[in-house]
Amino acid sequence: DTAVSQTPKYLVTQMGNDKSIKCEQNLGHDTMYWYKQDSKKFLKIMFSYNNKELIINETVPNRFSPKSPDKAHLNLHINSLELGDSAVYFCASSQQQGAYGYTFGSGTRLTVV
Amino acid sequence: AQTVTQSQPEMSVQEAETVTLSCTYDTSENNYYLFWYKQPPSRQMILVIRQEAYKQQNATENRFSVNFQKAAKSFSLKISDSQLGDTAMYFCASPAAGTASKLTFGTGTRLQVTL
């Protein structure tokens, strides 16, 4: 069983489209995250949810909207996709305020053409 | 601004040799944890080692160990007996100020292990 699973792994779409990335964790963790990794491999946090409540919302365009239906799921919806949104998006989860680190999903490579 | 600095963008080491990757951080937390992650070409982020800041003893996981200098806010990773499978990007991570659970990552060091 995959601990943190993201779908899809690859996503190619045209500018202006709306897309979603789904994430599920089966570790029983209470906190989930979305990170963006750009072409230079820099990882930056976007959002964090703790028990379905939004606790971190970095400076991210409001075209990005996370949704957590329950503490095991955290989805990311992106409206009006732009070329600059092309990146790898990682979902992660943690327990105990991240004391044992994050467990990452395998990432979703989003390419906007 | 919260920063994690990895001053070596790229490093190379021969198989079976030892290499040290450097990292400095800047957190205002008193009790925190530090991490090294490995990202091989497969893209998966893999936790390599974890250090508890209140412990003076340096963490060790098989061939991986850290040199943790709390006062200097330095957290280097030593890889002994390097193997071809160690070829990857390595990221240091520390908590951001005011939010212990929010990790800030360094810019990464690309390590190439050669024959």
Side-chain angles (χ1 to χ4, degrees):
Chain A
D1 274 349
T2 304
V4 180
S5 59
Q6 285 179 239
T7 53
K9 291 194 183 334
Y10 298 93
L11 189 52
V12 180
T13 187
Q14 290 189 325
M15 281 176 57
N17 284 349
D18 302 339
K19 290 293 178 185
S20 292
I21 306 171
K22 296 186 176 181
C23 180
E24 175 182 2
Q25 55 98 1
N26 62 6
L27 298 167
H29 288 172
D30 57 12
T31 307
M32 296 184 72
Y33 311 82
W34 279 110
Y35 273 79
K36 178 181 180 180
Q37 186 174 44
D38 63 23
S39 59
K40 296 185 178 179
K41 302 291 188 182
F42 183 62
L43 275 157
K44 185 171 168 54
I45 192 166
M46 300 172 69
F47 303 103
S48 173
Y49 273 75
N50 179 270
N51 285 321
K52 301 194 299 176
E53 182 183 343
L54 181 66
I55 57 171
I56 295 173
N57 185 351
E58 294 294 288
T59 307
V60 177
N62 57 16
R63 298 182 294 103
F64 290 79
S65 53
K67 281 192 172 47
S68 182
D70 56 60
K71 75 173 192 175
H73 296 84
L74 179 61
N75 303 322
L76 182 65
H77 188 75
I78 316 169
N79 289 326
S80 303
L81 277 155
E82 300 177 358
L83 293 176
D85 297 331
S86 295
V88 178
Y89 293 84
F90 283 98
C91 176
S93 69
S94 74
Q95 187 69 357
Q96 295 183 339
Q97 293 193 317
Y100 294 93
Y102 295 177
T103 301
F104 282 84
S106 56
T108 296
R109 180 178 292 281
L110 172 65
T111 303
V112 182
V113 297
Chain B
Q2 206 63 38
T3 58
V4 178
T5 302
Q6 293 181 248
S7 58
Q8 305 147 315
E10 292 186 3
M11 294 193 73
S12 182
V13 63
Q14 284 194 318
E15 204 176 16
E17 297 296 308
T18 295
V19 64
T20 299
L21 310 183
S22 64
C23 173
T24 58
Y25 62 94
D26 181 21
T27 183
S28 54
E29 298 292 315
N30 289 322
N31 190 16
Y32 54 92
Y33 304 87
L34 299 166
F35 306 92
W36 278 96
Y37 279 86
K38 168 185 177 181
Q39 187 179 38
S42 67
R43 193 171 81 199
Q44 181 71 49
M45 292 287 289
I46 302 164
L47 179 62
V48 174
I49 198 164
R50 162 185 175 267
Q51 174 75 43
E52 300 174 38
Y54 60 88
K55 286 189 176 179
Q56 290 188 334
Q57 186 174 4
N58 289 323
T60 299
E61 288 287 342
N62 300 314
R63 298 181 294 107
F64 298 87
S65 60
V66 301
N67 182 1
F68 174 50
Q69 304 289 330
K70 189 173 183 178
K73 293 185 177 176
S74 169
F75 179 57
S76 61
L77 175 69
K78 186 171 86 170
I79 306 174
S80 304
D81 186 25
S82 297
Q83 300 176 358
L84 295 177
D86 295 333
T87 293
M89 284 287 289
Y90 286 83
F91 294 95
C92 174
S94 84
T99 311
S101 65
K102 172 183 162 183
L103 285 185
T104 298
F105 287 81
T107 50
T109 296
R110 185 179 301 276
L111 177 67
Q112 180 72 47
V113 180
T114 60
L115 290 170

